[in-house]
Amino acid sequence: MLVITRREGEEVVIGDPSNPLGVVRIASIKGDRVRLAFSFPREIEVHRREVADQILETKPSVVGSIRPAHGGSGS
């Protein structure tokens, strides 16, 4: 894990700096609360950990759901 110290208004560039995947900016710091601003393409999902865990818990498992095709000649 990479740990970076940033001040309010500073940014972290994710990916190639000439064509970044996204940018994370420190929007504000008040007491022990830090507000982050994420700038990523819409097709990239960004979730809080608790939401990501809920998504993983509710996604149906692929294991056991793949069945062989019916019919056809068994060559």
Side-chain angles (χ1 to χ4, degrees), residues 1-62:
M1 176 183 294
L2 173 65
V3 178
I4 300 174
T5 301
R6 300 276 70 199
R7 291 188 173 91
E8 191 170 316
E10 293 181 334
E11 298 178 337
V12 175
V13 176
I14 309 295
D16 180 358
S18 65
N19 186 22
L21 180 61
V23 175
V24 179
R25 183 173 54 87
I26 307 304
S28 67
I29 303 170
K30 292 181 183 174
D32 63 347
R33 306 288 262 178
V34 177
R35 294 185 74 206
L36 303 173
F38 297 90
S39 178
F40 285 84
R42 287 202 172 273
E43 59 270 10
I44 297 177
E45 296 184 22
V46 178
H47 302 288
R48 294 174 296 158
R49 169 52 65 193
E50 61 273 18
V51 173
D53 291 342
Q54 287 176 349
I55 291 168
L56 290 173
E57 288 175 11
T58 59
K59 273 192 177 177
S61 175
V62 175

